[in-house]
Amino acid sequence: MSTVPPDLRARVDELRRLIHRYNYEYYVLAQPTVSDAEYDALMLELRQLEARYPELITPDSPTQRIGAPPAEGFATVQHELPMLSLSNVFDEQEFRAWAERVYRLSGRRDIEFVTEPKLDGVAVAILYRNGVYTRGATRGDGYTGEDVTANIRTIRMLPLRLYPPDDVPVPAVLEVRGEVYMRIKDFNDLNRQRGEEGLPLFANPRNAAAGSLRQLDPGITASRPLCFAAWDIGLFDGLPAPATHAGVLDYLRRLSIPVVPEYAVYRTVDEVLVEVRRWLQTREQLEYEADGVVVKVNDRALYDQLGVVGREPRAATAYKFPAIEKTTLVRHVEWSVGRTGKLTPIAILEPVSIGGVMVERASLHNEDEIQRLGVMIGDAVVVQRRGDVIPKVITAIPARRDGDERPIVPPDHCPVCGAHVVRLEGEVDRYCVNPSCPARLKAQIQHFASRGAMDIEGFGEKLSDLFVDLGLIRSLPDIYELDWEQIRQLRGFAEKRIENLREAIERSKDRPLERFIFALGIRHVGERNARLLAEHFGSIDRLAAASLEDLLAIPGFGPTVAQSIYEFFHEPKNVEMIERFRRLGVKVAETAPVARPARGPLAGKTVVLTGKLTTLTRAQAEEALRQVGARVVSSVSKNTDYVFAGQDPGSKYQRAQQLGVTILGEDDLLRMLRESGVSLAEAVPAS
């Protein structure tokens, strides 16, 4: 007989139901209704009750998401219903031909179609028995997959037990089919973190999702930002299944299972093509990788009636986006030198057009990545380009080698200054050891003068290259001691240009401390870390005197970041450089901001910025909003008060429309800042 009091058993059930609901709100809807502290308190209470009464622990409990030990290998799973692949079409003519075959074979013209994004991830089948998560398996070859039950259990947006509304029945067996994927931002953050830790980078979000899902240790999978979206059902026993595909997705949503975003039903081919064009136009703004639009016959009985050709259902196809990957040849490899001295291998390619842009250069990242790819000079390679991201080589094609290929040999000396190159223990990169290397100095100047740093208008790449080549700048402080008489002798430097440049340099002396710290170019210190350092220490002197323990005490600062900062301020040349900046009038301590009462239309409001602002930079807008008591966040939820949209707003704009959040423009932002007591001159600092 159970020793658990009935009221505690009921409380455990209630805790699990609440935690599941809050997970769905947070991870799927991005609309949390409780604070992190409230959520953590519920989890703590559940853990304590389960520790007190171990007989209450069940596999579907939220506390058991990372409860499995590392596996020695993956068992295989036979799919009772095959997981078929899709046919592809690549243009409107091919799509119309596919639709005509559907009309002809069905003998009908009154057919509805469903469109949904073709997520680029890993296809899986997830099994629930009596509403409890039981098994997860990869697609594999469509008939046999790998058992990844413990790993899929760690995906927090996926319910381990179904808690349907009272009017929604659950079948005895429910197989949910969908995609495990990684959002682009999460992928970039993961790669950034791996780079700081000296680990190999993932090639793309799909590669990262696949690698994360196939970890033998579920604890590693749990640490990765994996998402799931359902796009169909397989087994459905004990109840009649929904009659339409859209009905299936609606049904899964009511069970709080995340489904593919923005699916829609259309009645004609022309309507479908309008939707496909919309996806093509907004492709670059998506928060996830999608390589096409899936189009399916909505009527599930007709879908089954149309049957299968080979391993592809006749009633569905994928309208593939134009390629962002192409195959070309590696002519040779150059090594560029960055501001920290890091050498980056750049593949010089046989020119190839990708997405309408001619690509001749692509990053190889570092020599570990070269080894991972196995790429050689002369190889055929696959090159990927997405948006404004620098193209990169994602794989080599050894089968196309003819024997003339040559290995890529990392240099022992800097290709610019000839100094020795070192690769430190535990590092994936090589570095030029010469702090006066012209290539390093040029990159440092460009970073120092950039908008997010000291914001010296007119001091771009061409100017920094010119001044370094002429010997006018030999170190960063030389920017503030330029020989203007010598500059007057240069072609293209009229008096007005010189006057503007001098004024821009003089204005830069009074930037906030966080921007000066960022401008110094300390390894692993981006704008966020620079802001944390400025807020924590308040002056360069206190930061320079900080111990490793002091730095590690800052939330989010790990050993790699702390060590890099500590070493920078204990390098005599850097100490001397900062003293020169001080003597030249550059502000190196934070000025206490004038206390501004939190009043006006923005005080206490949660706001999101999206799109390009024309009057303000993003950093200036965020700072002005913080000054008047607004909370600036990066994602839109039902708790967002305003979304301020500039030019070319992305998915945040669409999300705000879906949630009914108030959307305002840049003029509204400036007006509300003024009403909150910020003058335009304050909101837009001189640059």
Side-chain angles (χ1 to χ4, degrees):
M1 186 172 179
S2 174
T3 60
V4 182
D7 60 329
L8 291 185
R9 188 179 294 277
R11 177 58 178 165
V12 166
D13 289 341
E14 178 65 13
L15 287 169
R16 290 173 180 168
R17 184 187 297 270
L18 288 172
I19 290 168
H20 158 67
R21 190 179 90 197
Y22 297 149
N23 276 337
Y24 184 75
E25 291 173 349
Y26 184 89
Y27 291 105
V28 181
L29 302 180
Q31 301 173 24
T33 59
V34 296
S35 67
D36 290 347
E38 291 173 292
Y39 178 89
D40 292 342
L42 295 175
M43 280 293 289
L44 177 61
E45 183 183 353
L46 179 59
R47 290 183 190 280
Q48 290 173 337
L49 287 172
E50 289 182 346
R52 185 177 173 188
Y53 299 101
E55 60 265 43
L56 288 175
I57 299 175
T58 60
D60 61 285
S61 173
T63 64
Q64 302 303 299
R65 286 194 182 272
I66 321 174
E72 295 182 2
F74 293 111
T76 58
V77 172
Q78 295 292 125
H79 297 301
E80 295 184 45
L81 296 176
M83 294 186 71
L84 302 175
S85 54
L86 293 176
S87 64
N88 296 322
V89 298
F90 295 92
D91 57 38
E92 295 190 5
Q93 182 178 351
E94 290 185 4
F95 176 73
R96 289 185 184 278
W98 170 83
E100 283 300 323
R101 282 195 297 274
V102 170
Y103 290 141
R104 185 178 69 253
L105 292 170
S106 66
R108 294 170 48 184
R109 305 290 296 189
D110 59 333
I111 296 176
E112 290 183 335
F113 299 98
V114 179
T115 62
E116 60 195 45
K118 187 176 184 298
L119 300 177
D120 198 8
V122 183
V124 296
I126 297 170
L127 193 67
Y128 291 89
R129 292 190 183 276
N130 299 315
V132 178
Y133 171 73
T134 305
R135 188 187 70 201
T138 62
R139 181 204 297 269
D141 63 2
Y143 299 94
T144 303
E146 292 178 316
D147 189 330
V148 287
T149 301
N151 291 2
I152 286 179
R153 186 188 301 278
T154 69
I155 302 175
R156 292 187 177 275
M157 61 168 49
L158 191 71
L160 300 180
R161 174 182 285 274
L162 302 178
Y163 294 98
D166 292 339
D167 60 338
V168 179
V170 176
V173 178
L174 169 63
E175 185 185 48
V176 180
R177 295 181 168 184
E179 207 82 3
V180 172
Y181 67 101
M182 197 175 287
R183 296 187 182 98
I184 295 170
K185 180 183 181 301
D186 294 334
F187 164 73
N188 290 334
D189 290 344
L190 176 63
N191 257 358
R192 189 178 302 112
Q193 176 186 343
R194 291 176 67 83
E196 291 176 355
E197 296 173 356
L199 298 173
L201 303 183
F202 289 111
N204 51 53
R206 185 189 187 285
N207 173 262
S212 300
L213 188 62
R214 298 191 70 259
Q215 293 290 326
L216 294 178
D217 182 355
I220 297 177
T221 305
S223 71
R224 304 281 173 77
L226 293 178
C227 299
F228 172 80
W231 36 252
D232 207 347
I233 55 173
L235 299 173
F236 198 95
D237 296 342
L239 290 172
T244 65
H245 179 64
V248 165
L249 298 179
D250 291 340
Y251 172 77
L252 294 177
R253 286 181 66 180
R254 297 200 68 191
L255 294 178
S256 295
I257 294 173
V259 301
V260 285
E262 298 186 61
Y263 62 90
V265 180
Y266 296 99
R267 296 181 180 277
T268 69
V269 170
D270 288 338
E271 289 176 344
V272 171
L273 288 174
V274 169
E275 176 69 353
V276 168
R277 294 179 202 125
R278 184 188 71 82
W279 279 104
L280 284 168
Q281 291 170 357
T282 60
R283 177 188 186 186
E284 299 296 342
Q285 284 78 52
L286 297 177
E287 62 179 15
Y288 46 82
E289 291 277 8
D291 58 355
V293 179
V294 175
V295 184
K296 300 177 180 177
V297 170
N298 194 27
D299 185 328
R300 290 181 64 82
L302 177 58
Y303 189 105
D304 293 338
Q305 175 189 326
L306 288 169
V308 175
V309 177
R311 299 177 61 175
E312 300 171 351
R314 289 191 177 95
T317 193
Y319 193 120
K320 299 298 288 289
F321 291 149
I324 57 171
E325 297 177 358
K326 286 287 184 68
T327 301
T328 187
L329 297 176
V330 177
R331 289 176 165 176
H332 62 279
V333 172
E334 293 180 354
W335 295 77
S336 68
V337 183
R339 59 185 171 83
T340 63
K342 183 177 79 172
L343 273 64
T344 300
I346 305 295
I348 308 303
L349 308 170
E350 189 74 31
V352 60
S353 177
I354 306 179
V357 174
M358 191 60 66
V359 173
E360 300 182 23
R361 301 163 64 88
S363 174
L364 289 167
H365 297 294
N366 54 56
E367 67 183 280
D368 278 11
E369 182 70 358
I370 292 173
Q371 294 297 322
R372 188 188 71 80
L373 293 170
V375 65
M376 302 175 71
I377 295 172
D379 262 344
V381 293
V382 177
V383 180
Q384 182 184 76
R385 173 187 171 271
R386 180 180 177 86
D388 295 325
V389 177
I390 297 171
K392 58 185 178 181
V393 174
I394 61 171
T395 188
I397 309 176
R400 292 179 55 175
R401 289 176 180 162
D402 59 12
D404 291 334
E405 294 76 20
R406 310 187 312 279
I408 299 170
V409 180
D412 294 324
H413 294 82
C414 175
V416 176
C417 71
H420 285 292
V421 168
V422 298
R423 180 175 180 180
L424 303 177
E425 185 177 353
E427 295 271 359
V428 298
D429 298 302
R430 292 178 177 246
Y431 291 87
C432 168
V433 299
N434 177 14
S436 301
C437 173
R440 290 185 61 177
L441 180 56
K442 291 175 181 178
Q444 288 168 358
I445 294 170
Q446 292 165 29
H447 174 75
F448 186 87
S450 66
R451 178 164 289 185
M454 302 304 276
D455 195 8
I456 305 177
E457 186 176 358
F459 214 123
E461 179 179 352
K462 291 182 179 179
L463 205 59
S464 62
D465 288 356
L466 176 64
F467 286 178
V468 171
D469 291 341
L470 293 175
L472 292 171
I473 296 180
R474 293 184 171 86
S475 66
L476 288 178
D478 288 347
I479 293 171
Y480 298 99
E481 289 190 307
L482 284 168
D483 186 337
W484 296 106
E485 289 303 320
Q486 188 173 346
I487 292 173
R488 280 189 177 88
Q489 310 305 314
L490 302 177
R491 177 180 297 178
F493 283 85
E495 196 60 39
K496 184 61 176 177
R497 183 183 183 188
I498 291 175
E499 179 185 344
N500 290 341
L501 186 58
R502 291 184 71 167
E503 290 178 356
I505 291 173
E506 190 63 28
R507 285 194 301 267
S508 74
K509 292 181 179 180
D510 196 36
R511 299 296 184 223
L513 176 61
E514 65 186 63
R515 292 172 67 179
F516 177 65
I517 295 172
F518 175 58
L520 291 175
I522 306 167
R523 287 185 66 201
H524 308 308
V525 177
E527 293 184 60
R528 174 185 174 276
N529 283 349
R531 183 184 307 116
L532 292 174
L533 290 170
E535 291 173 352
H536 192 84
F537 293 104
S539 77
I540 282 291
D541 292 336
R542 286 193 287 273
L543 173 55
S547 65
L548 272 174
E549 291 73 19
D550 294 333
L551 294 165
L552 287 168
I554 301 174
F557 276 41
T560 301
V561 175
Q563 186 69 36
S564 175
I565 298 167
Y566 181 83
E567 290 177 356
F568 180 90
F569 286 102
H570 284 74
E571 167 58 48
K573 289 185 177 180
N574 292 335
V575 175
E576 179 185 345
M577 176 181 67
I578 291 170
E579 284 305 310
R580 272 192 73 195
F581 278 128
R582 191 197 309 272
R583 291 195 302 270
L584 291 166
V586 177
K587 185 173 76 173
V588 294
E590 192 62 89
T591 302
V594 178
R596 186 190 304 277
R599 58 185 176 83
L602 292 166
K605 301 299 184 182
T606 298
V607 304
V608 171
L609 298 170
T610 183
K612 181 181 179 181
L613 302 176
T614 58
T615 308
L616 303 135
T617 67
R618 179 65 61 88
Q620 290 165 355
E622 290 181 356
E623 178 59 28
L625 286 163
R626 280 193 288 267
Q627 286 181 21
V628 299
R631 177 171 174 255
V632 184
V633 298
S634 59
S635 59
V636 181
S637 73
K638 70 176 184 180
N639 297 319
T640 304
D641 294 297
Y642 303 123
V643 169
F644 291 106
Q647 298 176 357
D648 301 321
S651 58
K652 296 176 187 178
Y653 183 91
Q654 297 168 356
R655 180 68 174 162
Q657 288 180 314
Q658 293 170 358
L659 297 177
V661 174
T662 301
I663 301 173
L664 302 173
E666 187 171 353
D667 290 343
D668 298 304
L669 171 61
L670 297 177
R671 173 181 55 78
M672 296 170 81
L673 286 172
R674 291 190 189 98
E675 292 174 1
S676 300
V678 177
S679 70
L680 185 59
E682 290 177 296
V684 190
S687 58

